[in-house]
Amino acid sequence: MAGGKPAPVAANKSAVAAYKPKTATPAMWTVHGAKGTVYMLGSIHALPKNVNWQTAQLMARVKEADTFVFEVPMDAGSRAHAAAYFRDNALMPGGMSLPSLFDSEMRADFRDVVMLTHADPTYIVYMRPWLAALVLEGAASGTSGFYSSEGVDNKIYAMVKARGVRQFRALERDEDQFRLFIKEGHEQDEVTDLRLTFKDILAHGGKGDQGLLAAWMKGDTKGLDALLPEKKGTSAVFRKAWLDDRNRKWVPQIEAMLNEPHTFFITVGAAHLVGKGGVPNLLRAAGYRVDGP
């Protein structure tokens, strides 16, 4: 309100449109084994509060499953451990600031990125390079209205936990993921990644691309794959570490599940399930019948 008068109708309509419920139909896969069945759903780890992705077909498969698998452990104790690990590795050592690691080019890029994204440098200057990169990417992508509590993996876990499910597994540890973020403790590698983050944000004018969310909502697996990092240059290094290597490590674990008399429901990042190097295609190449896109 301004001067005690209602805001213009046009502004109110805009606000209503921003929160209007949106229906998503994410892609799913079914893998058939000798004894077990595996359902796979790609997660978006943070979502707006107005996305309804719990389709009847998806919920039927959730109800059918007896064992739920995620990238990392989802129980409260594990989440607390992950949060502590995060805190221990989030900030620069006492007395140091992030810009002290920059050369003149990075200092100039940092100023430009802050101007474009409207990120608050007051906090960023105390972050380690890996965390600064995540925060600035989030600011540039326009995901300020996205919440991890709305993420598909968190929602699935809370849903089945409330149902009384007791069988949960994880494909890797939190430390495995954090080591990718912190580059095994090699600070200069973190700085290199941050430099690339600056260049990427500046190349796109600080405007985020929500194409990933749009493709996921439509179940567009080809569209998702097209938005992933290219298999060349610096992007190839990222893709290998964050997607290809991890996918190959997960496949033997899933193969073992297919030899158990259970129905598994696996929820992992959507990027792991699409393209030639995605988990479904790796399982097809290993001789398994995989139904889905």
Side-chain angles (χ1 to χ4, degrees):
M1 298 179 69
K5 297 179 180 180
V9 173
N12 288 338
K13 285 184 177 179
S14 176
V16 170
Y19 290 97
K20 184 178 180 180
K22 299 177 181 178
T23 300
T25 54
M28 289 196 68
W29 291 260
T30 304
V31 191
H32 305 272
K35 297 181 180 178
T37 300
V38 167
Y39 296 129
M40 292 190 292
L41 172 66
S43 171
I44 297 293
H45 298 308
L47 283 172
K49 293 184 177 181
N50 62 339
V51 178
N52 177 18
W53 49 266
Q54 299 173 23
T55 66
Q57 181 187 37
L58 190 157
M59 295 308 295
R61 292 175 178 177
V62 169
K63 185 176 181 180
E64 182 183 344
D66 58 64
T67 305
F68 290 80
V69 185
F70 300 90
E71 291 184 28
V72 294
M74 299 291 288
D75 61 279
S78 295
R79 295 297 86 211
H81 174 71
Y85 195 92
F86 178 95
R87 290 192 299 270
D88 290 344
N89 291 278
L91 302 180
M92 296 289 294
M96 286 188 66
S97 68
L98 178 62
S100 70
L101 303 176
F102 299 168
D103 56 24
S104 59
E105 181 184 19
M106 282 194 74
R107 286 178 181 273
D109 285 350
F110 180 53
R111 287 193 297 268
D112 291 342
V113 165
V114 167
M115 290 291 290
L116 279 169
T117 63
H118 305 292
D120 188 347
T122 305
Y123 300 102
I124 294 173
V125 295
Y126 296 108
M127 297 176 182
R128 278 182 54 168
W130 72 267
L131 181 56
L134 285 181
V135 170
L136 290 169
E137 285 171 351
S141 67
T143 56
S144 58
F146 287 44
Y147 303 89
S148 59
S149 60
E150 295 295 316
V152 176
D153 34 14
N154 283 323
K155 284 290 189 180
I156 290 285
Y157 179 76
M159 184 191 310
V160 298
K161 184 74 174 176
R163 194 180 85 194
V165 171
R166 305 176 73 91
Q167 298 297 321
F168 296 99
R169 299 187 191 180
L171 295 168
E172 57 193 18
R173 303 173 303 166
D174 287 294
E175 289 87 343
D176 297 327
Q177 289 193 3
F178 274 119
R179 277 202 292 268
L180 291 173
F181 280 121
I182 66 176
K183 305 299 177 185
E184 302 287 350
H186 299 300
E187 184 178 80
Q188 193 53 51
D189 289 342
E190 288 185 54
V191 174
T192 297
D193 270 10
L194 182 57
R195 184 189 298 272
L196 294 172
T197 298
F198 289 170
K199 296 298 184 186
D200 184 62
I201 291 172
L202 294 173
H204 291 89
K207 296 179 180 178
D209 178 8
Q210 294 193 13
L212 187 83
L213 175 60
W216 175 82
M217 288 180 63
K218 294 185 294 184
D220 180 5
T221 57
K222 291 183 178 179
L224 276 172
D225 186 43
L227 290 165
L228 298 182
E230 297 292 335
K231 298 181 180 179
K232 57 186 177 181
T234 53
S235 294
V237 176
F238 174 90
R239 182 165 182 150
K240 181 178 185 299
W242 277 99
L243 297 176
D244 297 341
D245 289 351
R246 293 167 72 200
N247 290 352
R248 285 192 289 270
K249 290 178 181 178
W250 293 352
V251 165
Q253 297 181 59
I254 297 171
E255 289 185 286
M257 295 175 199
L258 292 165
N259 281 309
E260 298 182 43
H262 291 286
T263 300
F264 296 87
F265 193 102
I266 297 178
T267 308
V268 296
H272 292 283
L273 303 181
V274 300
K276 186 176 180 180
V279 172
N281 274 340
L282 292 178
L283 288 166
R284 287 186 180 112
Y288 293 92
R289 175 187 159 198
V290 181
D291 298 332

